[in-house]
Amino acid sequence: RFLAQRADALDVMRRVPLEGYDVSFLFTDRHVAHLGRARLVEWVVRFVEECEAETAGLKLAVNARGRAVASHWLRSLAF
């Protein structure tokens, strides 16, 4: 779902990935001619790095929220 929301902004990402994959890209001759292979590889690497960074940020936010909820709950049990 996270990546599907970005599918409209990325003309190389398929809206529905191929069976067995979470994400799939469709690079055409037009993309290779316009950007070149090296730039396409750099784009994919940067895209994956950005996804990993955003996922790590979301994990940290969930952990922080869980800690806050747990400490609030434990304070409510204290007499």
Side-chain angles (χ1 to χ4, degrees), residues 3 6 9-11 24-25 37-38 42 44-45 48 50-51 70:
L3 293 173
R6 297 180 175 194
L10 303 171
D11 63 338
S24 64
F25 298 100
R37 289 182 184 182
E42 289 175 17
V44 170
V45 169
V48 170
E50 289 174 1
C51 288

Side-chain angles (χ1 to χ4, degrees), residues 11-54:
D11 63 338
V12 296
M13 193 165 102
R14 296 179 186 214
R15 187 157 258 323
V16 179
L18 295 175
E19 187 176 331
Y21 294 93
D22 293 328
V23 177
S24 64
F25 298 100
L26 177 63
F27 295 108
T28 62
D29 290 342
R30 180 176 52 92
H31 294 107
V32 176
H34 179 67
L35 296 172
R37 289 182 184 182
R39 285 188 61 197
L40 284 175
V41 170
E42 289 175 17
W43 182 87
V44 170
V45 169
R46 189 177 70 241
F47 178 81
V48 170
E49 287 173 346
E50 289 174 1
C51 288
E52 287 179 352
E54 193 162 338

Side-chain angles (χ1 to χ4, degrees), residues 50-76:
E50 289 174 1
C51 288
E52 287 179 352
E54 193 162 338
T55 302
L58 292 171
K59 286 180 182 180
L60 289 173
V62 167
N63 287 338
R65 177 84 175 160
R67 273 192 305 278
V69 168
S71 60
H72 179 72
W73 182 73
L74 288 173
R75 273 192 236 120
S76 70

